[in-house]
């Protein structure tokens, strides 16, 4: 066997990735039933790996189970969007503070590499690649916290945020507006990486807060007119308690 041959990906992992992609890109629409037999035929993967993937997606709460009926793609309601962004605001701020103290040179190098890949994906307007690479960049920061409880919570948040991210990144109706959005995303990522190198936790919190606001604004624009009840709770400029 060649030493350069890539490690073989387990069938359950292949099934997980392909089914998750269908959820993220809304090929499997919110509320749709997940037919394991049809997926096995469509993906040419056995029923056991498909079921293992479905159970993993259920554990990540991307699917929900209805007794006697099976698994369905979890819908995203207005309250879900509000709670998701509030959780991002709290957890991402904590993550960059810990990462500022604990990130190592290898993780900083990985951040720079993923950031370059993300820039290329944005240049090509590859919505799916942008969605996954953006998530990967943030997950490196989460890993750098060296806190498995926090990283696990943030991974859960990312799984749900990816579907929203793809929806707003793939909206080609506002191509020029999307290009402007990408420039701001790129600026935030560049600043986050530089501030992590400098271990500047105070400014990191400000940048990640602005970055989440940017994502929230994009979602609001995508769903224009903005649905009532999705106002984001933001920290005031001088710090302190949250406000509406």
């Amino acid at each position: 066997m060649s030493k350069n041959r890539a490690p073989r990906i387990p069938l359950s992992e292949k099934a997980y990735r392909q089914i998750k992609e269908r959820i993220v890109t809304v090929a499997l629409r919110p509320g749709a039933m997940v037919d394991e037999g049809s997926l096995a035929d469509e993906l040419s993967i056995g029923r056991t790996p498909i079921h293992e993937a479905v159970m993993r997606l259920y554990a990540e709460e991307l699917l929900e189970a209805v007794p006697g009926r099976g698994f369905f793609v979890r819908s995203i309601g207005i309250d879900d969007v509000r709670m998701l962004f509030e959780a991002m605001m709290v957890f991402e701020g904590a993550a960059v503070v810990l990462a500022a103290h604990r990130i190592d040179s290898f993780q900083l190098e990985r951040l720079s590499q993923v950031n370059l890949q993300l820039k290329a994906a944005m240049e090509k307007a590859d919505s799916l690649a942008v969605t996954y690479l953006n998530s990967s960049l943030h997950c490196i920061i989460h890993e750098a916290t060296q806190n498995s409880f926090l990283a696990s919570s943030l991974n859960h948040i990312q799984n749900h945020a990816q579907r929203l991210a793809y929806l707003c990144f793939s909206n080609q109706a506002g191509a020029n507006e999307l290009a402007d959005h990408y420039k701001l995303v790129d600026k935030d990522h560049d600043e986050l990486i530089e501030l992590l190198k400098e271990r500047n936790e105070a400014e990191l919190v400000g940048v990640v807060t602005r970055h989440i606001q940017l994502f929230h604004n994009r979602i609001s624009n995508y769903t224009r007119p903005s649905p009532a009840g999705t106002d984001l709770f933001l920290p005031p400029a001088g710090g302190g308690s949250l406000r509406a």
Side-chain angles (χ1 to χ4, degrees):
M1 181 181 294
S2 171
K3 293 182 179 179
N4 295 324
R5 183 175 296 177
R8 187 174 180 179
I9 301 174
L11 287 176
S12 60
E13 178 65 23
K14 286 184 178 179
Y16 168 81
R17 293 180 186 180
Q18 292 187 59
I19 298 170
K20 183 177 180 181
E21 180 176 318
R22 283 161 170 74
I23 295 172
V24 169
T25 60
V26 202
L28 275 172
R29 299 184 66 81
M33 182 179 182
V34 177
D35 187 327
E36 295 184 25
S38 296
L39 284 170
D41 293 339
E42 182 182 345
L43 303 178
S44 299
I45 296 176
R47 290 288 294 267
T48 298
I50 292 290
H51 183 68
E52 290 173 354
V54 166
M55 293 306 297
R56 182 174 167 187
L57 290 161
Y58 171 65
E60 292 176 354
E61 297 186 13
L62 290 173
L63 301 179
E64 55 189 0
V66 178
R69 295 186 61 197
F71 294 95
F72 294 79
V73 178
R74 181 174 175 177
S75 298
I76 302 178
I78 290 175
D79 284 342
D80 296 310
V81 174
R82 174 184 56 78
M83 290 187 291
L84 180 67
F85 276 99
E86 288 175 356
M88 288 177 68
M89 191 64 69
V90 173
F91 284 100
E92 292 285 0
V96 292
V97 169
L98 288 178
H101 292 277
R102 299 172 179 174
I103 197 165
D104 59 34
S105 58
F106 177 65
Q107 289 164 331
L108 285 169
E109 178 59 28
R110 284 170 57 206
L111 274 177
S112 296
Q113 291 174 357
V114 171
N115 196 32
L116 287 174
Q117 294 171 351
L118 180 54
K119 289 174 188 287
M122 289 191 290
E123 183 68 26
K124 296 175 183 176
D126 184 338
S127 303
L128 186 59
V130 170
T131 298
Y132 282 150
L133 287 167
N134 180 72
S135 184
S136 294
L137 185 146
H138 286 282
C139 284
I140 295 171
I141 297 175
H142 305 160
E143 174 191 305
T145 66
Q146 297 180 30
N147 186 308
S148 60
F149 292 104
L150 181 57
S152 177
S153 296
L154 283 161
N155 181 63
H156 181 72
I157 291 169
Q158 280 293 320
N159 281 330
H160 291 281
Q162 284 176 351
R163 189 161 35 160
L164 289 175
Y166 180 82
L167 285 172
C168 72
F169 292 153
S170 61
N171 180 20
Q172 297 303 318
N176 292 332
E177 183 185 3
L178 180 57
D180 291 338
H181 176 78
Y182 279 158
K183 289 178 183 177
L184 295 174
V185 170
D186 190 32
K187 179 177 182 291
D188 284 350
H189 287 161
D190 286 345
E191 287 190 27
L192 284 171
I193 293 172
E194 287 305 309
L195 290 169
L196 282 167
K197 290 177 180 178
E198 297 169 6
R199 315 285 174 174
N200 188 335
E201 66 175 73
E203 289 194 36
L204 276 164
V205 173
V207 174
V208 82
T209 298
R210 182 183 74 201
H211 192 57
I212 295 168
Q213 287 179 265
L214 178 65
F215 183 23
H216 180 269
N217 291 343
R218 180 67 191 175
I219 293 297
S220 296
N221 290 339
Y222 177 81
T223 57
R224 192 183 294 131
S226 301
T230 60
D231 292 340
L232 183 60
F233 281 78
L234 301 173
S241 59
L242 295 175
R243 62 176 172 84

